[in-house]
Amino acid sequence: MISELQSDYIKELFNVGMGAAASELSELINDEVFMSVPSFQLINWQQLTNTLGYQPNEAVTMVYVSMDGQLKGRGILIYPTTASLELAHRLSEDFSPLDDLTELEEEALSEISGIIINNIISTICKQLNVNAHTSLPICERGRWDSIAEKAIDIDTSHKIMFIGMYFSIKHKDLKGELLFLQDGETINELLTHTTNALKKMGVE
Amino acid sequence: MTRILIVDDSLTMRLYISTIAKQVRIDSDIILCASAEEAIPYIDEAFDYYSLDYTLPGMSGIELANKILHRHTIAKIVMVTGNKQEAVRSRCDAIKIAMIVKPDIEEPLITFFSEEKLT
Amino acid sequence: MNHSPKPVKNGLSEEAIYEALNKSEQGIIILSSTCKVEFWNQWMELTSKISHASAINQLLSSLFPQGLTKRMSHAINMALDSGRSSLLSQKLNKYPLPLYSSETERESDNPINQMVVIKPLYCGNSITNCLISVTDVSKSVNREKVLQEIAVRAQAGVNHLRNSEEQIRTIIESAQDGIITFSEDGSIGQFNSAAANLFQLSHSAMRSASIFNLIEDFYLANSAGLKKTSQIIKEQNINSNVIELTGRRLDSSTFPIEFTLSQLERPENPGYVSIIRDITSRKQAEERLEAMAQYDTLTGLANRSLFTERLKHAIKNTKRNSNYTILLFLDLDRFKVINDTLGHEVGDCLLVEVAKRISNTLRNNDTIARIGGDEFTIILENVSNSITGGRVAEKIIKKFDTPFDILGNKLTVSVSIGIATHPGAANSITELRRNADTAMYKAKISGRNKYCYFTSDMDEETKQRLSLETDLRKAIKNNEFTLHLQPLFNLKIGTTTGAEALIRWQHPERGNIPPAQFIPVAEDCGHIAEVGKWVFLNACKLAKMIYDAGHKEFRVSINISPKEFNIYKSPEQLVDTVKSAGIEPHNIDLEITEGCIMEDTKMSIDLLGKLSDAGFHISVDDFGTGYSSLAYLRHFPLDVLKIDQSFIRDLPQDPDAIAISKAILHLAHSLRLRVVAEGVETQEQMEFLKDNKCDVIQGYHIAKPMPAEQFINWLNKNH
């Protein structure tokens, strides 16, 4: 369904997008941020649940951005709550020593996640020469089973681009999960665009 | 015969950069490596142009660049990176190598490969 | 996902919509695609102090002296160029726009805490404008500050508590006494390492332990039905003082503890904290001290002072209960000799074994005490029958039939027992003790290995006996001893070839005291060694005299006992004595009783061998009276068997006597031993013996024992 070249290119796009996100975040915090995408898979909903491996009652933080236009779908960042706290703490000194995020901290996390997702989307759009507009990032927090329903409320036949995410901020390594949910049609379109771009690059 | 070494963990990028390189240096012998470790066996050989990715699994592009410069002090190296942060730039400046930011690499690369060869 | 459906315009004029935006509680800015302000609402006017009129058509960035933050500019561009919506959180973007809620705030440069949202606005599919909405999040900020403060204080409290907890824990942990908390159901809460060590449990075992299993008193109460610790504490009347209880270990072994208890202030789970100290060593020391004061350290028996106490007590009871108290005094026969010959270690071990053997024959409420070296006393309390004393004494004496095995030495020990009864002859405790002592003495002089009751007529005898002892010591010094000689007549040759040297004591006051009387006394009081030495030396002198008188082949016989005479441990000494007297060992015959030889055959073989090698002649005396092992008989280096006079006395009439004598003669000759018959008093006896090939005879029929000079004369006459 997807060739090695396509898969490799999409992953590279994600990497560049992450790089751009890292640059933007580093400006925000005035410190070096390192981000990379170590892997990329195209899977279905069942495989996703298995891969993510969250317990139904596990505390999870999710931020998602909805896309429309030539690329439709949803970009979702999932963090285990502790990681989200960690991320937020790294990026702002102002974070409280509480066990949970306050509203303002939640907003900050949304901003950060939005920057990441948007940069990726922008990169993809630019390279593939497509247009997509995005919504504001929305943060959902709570148990995995209830959140999963809310955020990933799509037809389970949809395909999911599942990307691991690795970042290193102020000497702390963190990991999160990035998903892009698209319906089959959108994926195919995406792949077509990819092939075109590759052709243009002279890479077959 | 122009010798070019391209190191990038993305297959697409390796192919893309070598396509650009071939445009400029038609008669070139290009070695592609997916990681710095793969490139190490080639350290002792002198290449005319090196294109290195910054973000590599294992050893980083900068470290590899240092090793190459150690062997060949006037090697022509370009760091291709998706990371345009100041920190990266200053690292490249410190060892006096050029930096190109993805994804718009075509033009800068053409310029790079057009520079006079060493020999 | 599609755009949200467009709001229905029906019923709502554009003015109304405009008013809504204008009056909004949020700041609303609408920019053109070239970043120029196209809408600036009231909230923005109020907070920025820039009027709508001044703002319209201006580049947003130009409205503010600091311009726009990079993030803001970037977000606006992304919205206009690419349709990206952005959120600028308060946390990551401090005061993106210089807005103030009041003049006072403006003066004190206290901008509003803002959250900014930037969105593209579409007309159809093209982006025409950019919407910027600003929300005052100061309330959230304040709320957060309060929460933070609470959290910080709580954390500080926790830290402080943790530190104090840490301190307390360290103190408890380092305490040497065991500290344990436990609940009503007995389950252990907290404890320190000292506690775990006390009960020899691992920490995990300790955690799941119950106080019921750790304290014996609790265990028993719990087994008896008290299930709650508070019940047990009440019942045992345990308060906050230090009390002594018993600790209990896994293997059910117990140890004495000091126990202190406090109640825990813990209404939801009532419990106690206990401090426990192992006082085993203290208790042991206490016990030892107590024991030392009352018990003999070697044997563990009661000592003299405890004995006295018990005797007093027993006498009192006897008076009350109208029964008897019987006192036994025991003395080990010839203990001094054993101690001297085999050493104190053997002597001590023997005493311990003797104590054990005697104790085993007694009842629980009888007292046995060691009141001196080898002296023991027994108090039989509450005795209904006055002859019980004799029975007990009998039992004890029987117990001594079996030899003792002490450090590889087989020792046959006998005991002399004196019995005094109360009520009886004594009028006081002192008298009672003296009577028992006297009775014991009588037992001794009556042959030992027996018991004797005290009777009043014993006094005189006892006194005499005691004085003998004293006199013996002087006897040697004062030359009160002499040696008599009794001839040994050789039946084959028909002449006297030897003589037996016999000791005589001429007491200055009492006259002649027969050896049968004073030898046992000498043995008892240990003087026998000296006496023996004297006898040997003088017998050698006599032998020399006889030799010089011309009887070159004459042999003098001397009675010795290997056990009693230390000097015979080295035959060399004997040889020296012999030679310094001017004669040779073959001029001396050593007579050793059968009983003595057979008592320690190994030693006998060894010693006799040495003596024989040295040249001495060896005779077995009193043959037939002991328990000879025929097997050993042929291993001893013997020359002569002397048949005891008891067999000779009934010759030649008694058939048994005849049979035995003949048998002994036959046996002896088969073993190539010569036979001496003792106590020959009649011609018939002599003839019988001669007929039966007896070699030598001794007895009144030949001659009585004579003093030396008299003997030599006799010898010369009859040789």
Side-chain angles (χ1 to χ4, degrees), chain A residues 24 27-29 66-68 72-74 91-92 94-98 102-105 107-108 110-112 115 118 121-122 125 132-137, chain C residues 1-3 70-71 74 78 82-94 115 117-120 122 125 137 140-141 143-144 147-148 151-152 155:
Chain A
E24 205 176 317
E27 272 185 34
L28 211 47
I29 63 165
S66 300
M67 298 150 44
D68 206 353
K72 300 190 225 315
R74 216 177 245 192
L91 294 170
S92 165
D94 196 23
F95 273 72
S96 60
L98 300 169
T102 61
E103 307 157 32
L104 299 174
E105 287 165 351
E107 276 163 17
S110 301
E111 182 176 355
I112 295 164
I115 291 173
N118 279 327
I121 294 172
S122 295
C125 286
H133 36 255
T134 57
S135 71
L136 278 176
Chain C
M1 195 195 89
N2 288 320
H3 288 298
K70 221 169 160 191
R71 172 100 178 99
H74 183 69
M78 288 304 286
S82 318
R84 300 271 163 279
S85 303
S86 298
L87 180 142
L88 275 67
S89 66
Q90 178 267 335
K91 286 238 172 266
L92 296 170
N93 303 271
K94 288 274 181 275
M115 193 266 285
V117 164
I118 297 169
K119 280 181 163 172
Y122 288 85
N125 273 332
V137 290
S140 299
V141 171
R143 249 202 309 275
E144 204 183 76
L147 278 171
Q148 260 175 323
V152 166
Q155 189 61 41

Side-chain angles (χ1 to χ4, degrees), chain C residues 358-545:
Chain C
I358 300 174
S359 300
N360 285 339
T361 63
L362 302 176
R363 303 171 302 173
N364 280 339
N365 53 355
D366 296 331
T367 303
I368 167 170
R370 179 183 175 216
I371 55 168
D374 63 336
E375 292 174 325
F376 299 86
T377 59
I378 297 172
I379 304 169
L380 304 174
E381 257 186 89
N382 273 326
V383 180
S384 46
N385 197 332
S386 63
I387 65 161
T388 306
R391 270 199 233 119
V392 170
E394 190 92 55
K395 249 205 288 182
I396 294 172
I397 288 171
K398 252 198 142 69
K399 272 272 167 131
F400 278 77
D401 283 349
T402 325
F404 289 84
D405 190 348
I406 308 290
L407 300 180
N409 298 288
K410 200 141 155 261
L411 303 171
T412 304
V413 185
S414 64
V415 69
S416 299
I417 307 178
I419 310 171
T421 314
H422 176 81
N427 293 321
S428 67
I429 289 186
T430 323
E431 233 186 293
L432 183 68
R433 289 170 71 160
R434 199 170 55 225
N435 291 353
D437 192 32
T438 308
M440 181 191 71
Y441 208 67
K442 177 152 194 219
K444 257 201 196 305
I445 59 178
S446 312
R448 299 189 186 81
N449 200 29
K450 62 186 339 153
Y451 67 89
C452 258
Y453 277 96
F454 175 78
T455 50
S456 331
D457 59 13
M458 218 197 290
D459 270 343
E460 203 43 54
E461 222 185 290
T462 317
K463 280 198 207 135
Q464 287 223 358
R465 168 81 184 236
L466 281 168
S467 68
L468 252 185
E469 261 188 48
T470 332
D471 295 343
L472 252 178
R473 276 175 231 132
K474 294 192 241 156
I476 297 172
K477 260 194 281 184
N478 300 341
N479 289 320
E480 295 167 19
F481 289 132
T482 47
L483 276 181
H484 284 201
L485 294 161
Q486 184 175 33
L488 292 165
F489 187 79
N490 193 315
L491 282 169
K492 296 229 162 85
I493 304 174
T495 162
T496 302
T497 52
E500 187 179 338
L502 300 157
I503 188 171
R504 291 289 178 263
W505 184 12
Q506 191 66 26
H507 192 277
E509 275 127 44
R510 301 211 241 154
N512 184 53
I513 303 178
Q517 207 177 340
F518 73 80
I519 291 292
V521 174
E523 283 170 350
D524 262 348
C525 64
H527 272 38
I528 199 68
E530 264 189 73
V531 173
K533 227 168 145 180
W534 183 92
V535 165
F536 191 83
L537 181 62
N538 286 282
C540 288
K541 286 189 183 155
L542 282 183
K544 175 78 162 108
M545 269 173 71

Side-chain angles (χ1 to χ4, degrees), chain A residues 14-183:
Chain A
F14 278 117
N15 255 318
V16 176
M18 286 293 267
S23 301
E24 205 176 317
L25 284 175
S26 85
E27 272 185 34
L28 211 47
I29 63 165
N30 210 23
D31 203 327
E32 191 174 357
V33 173
F34 178 80
M35 284 184 164
S36 75
V37 167
S39 61
F40 157 68
Q41 292 168 71
L42 207 54
I43 55 178
N44 63 30
W45 173 240
Q46 188 54 54
Q47 289 165 311
L48 173 70
T49 2
N50 295 344
T51 312
L52 288 177
Y54 283 110
Q55 297 300 320
N57 63 348
E58 209 170 321
V60 151
T61 300
M62 200 183 286
V63 178
Y64 65 87
V65 168
S66 300
M67 298 150 44
D68 206 353
Q70 281 178 290
L71 281 181
K72 300 190 225 315
R74 216 177 245 192
I76 309 173
L77 266 174
I78 306 176
Y79 315 92
T81 301
T82 41
S84 65
L85 280 169
E86 197 59 56
L87 179 59
H89 282 196
R90 295 282 139 200
L91 294 170
S92 165
E93 261 112 48
D94 196 23
F95 273 72
S96 60
L98 300 169
D99 291 334
D100 210 358
L101 293 173
T102 61
E103 307 157 32
L104 299 174
E105 287 165 351
E106 227 182 76
E107 276 163 17
L109 189 68
S110 301
E111 182 176 355
I112 295 164
S113 311
I115 291 173
I116 295 170
I117 299 170
N118 279 327
N119 268 293
I120 289 170
I121 294 172
S122 295
T123 308
I124 293 174
C125 286
K126 186 140 178 256
Q127 292 305 108
L128 300 185
N129 210 10
V130 293
N131 278 321
H133 36 255
T134 57
S135 71
L136 278 176
I138 296 172
C139 182
E140 296 281 359
R141 301 173 63 237
R143 287 166 56 113
W144 165 245
D145 48 8
S146 44
I147 296 300
E149 257 180 62
K150 256 194 254 174
I152 312 180
D153 68 335
I154 41 143
D155 188 342
T156 50
S157 68
H158 277 51
K159 275 281 184 244
I160 300 168
M161 270 197 283
F162 179 71
I163 303 119
M165 206 172 62
Y166 176 82
F167 32 139
S168 174
I169 304 166
K170 290 196 193 179
H171 318 294
K172 178 86 183 188
D173 297 337
L174 300 162
K175 272 176 18 155
E177 279 119 0
L178 180 61
L179 327 169
F180 275 87
L181 297 175
Q182 348 250 186
D183 57 29

